[in-house]
Amino acid sequence: MKYDLNRLRTPCYFVDRGLLQGNLDILAGVQKRTGCKILLALKGFAMWSLFGQIREVLAGVAASALFEARLGRETFGKEVHLCAPAYRADEMEELLDNADHMI
């Protein structure tokens, strides 16, 4: 489908769900052929309005902080992998409640 991007009011984000699905199909093929799990990096893309479409394919999310881990657990609803150089002691209990894997 063709879109006249000049008609969009800015600032805005425009996502072509068809192109997104094409990328998800590629990622699904990689997971199937290799047996690997592909995660959505929330630091790079946290448009939770698309999580329904993305969660159908990806194994979970990668987070680096408490609020990302919480977003992954509550909104994406699959595996949450947490990786950071350090964690705050006062957040550890909630991090453990929201993460499946921590590095």
Side-chain angles (χ1 to χ4, degrees), residues 42 51 61 67-78 80:
L42 293 178
F51 282 5
V61 300
F67 291 106
E68 287 179 357
R70 191 183 303 151
L71 175 69
R73 174 66 65 219
E74 293 174 359
T75 310
F76 201 84
K78 292 178 93 175
V80 176

Side-chain angles (χ1 to χ4, degrees), residues 3-98:
Y3 298 97
D4 182 0
L5 299 179
N6 293 317
R7 295 186 62 206
L8 294 176
R9 295 186 66 198
T10 61
C12 72
Y13 291 98
F14 180 84
V15 177
D16 184 321
R17 286 182 176 264
L19 291 176
L20 174 61
Q21 189 60 51
N23 288 336
L24 290 170
D25 292 344
I26 292 168
L27 295 175
V30 170
Q31 289 182 122
K32 184 176 180 180
R33 288 190 310 276
T34 66
C36 73
K37 293 180 178 181
I38 298 178
L39 306 172
L40 173 65
L42 293 178
K43 189 65 74 190
F45 188 83
M47 190 179 289
W48 55 267
S49 59
L50 295 173
F51 282 5
Q53 183 177 359
I54 297 169
R55 96 166 55 87
E56 292 179 16
V57 174
L58 300 188
V61 300
S64 62
L66 175 58
F67 291 106
E68 287 179 357
R70 191 183 303 151
L71 175 69
R73 174 66 65 219
E74 293 174 359
T75 310
F76 201 84
K78 292 178 93 175
E79 292 183 27
V80 176
H81 295 242
L82 190 57
C83 181
Y87 298 103
R88 291 177 36 178
D90 63 323
E91 293 180 348
M92 189 56 68
E93 187 174 336
E94 191 172 357
L95 285 168
L96 291 171
D97 288 341
N98 285 289

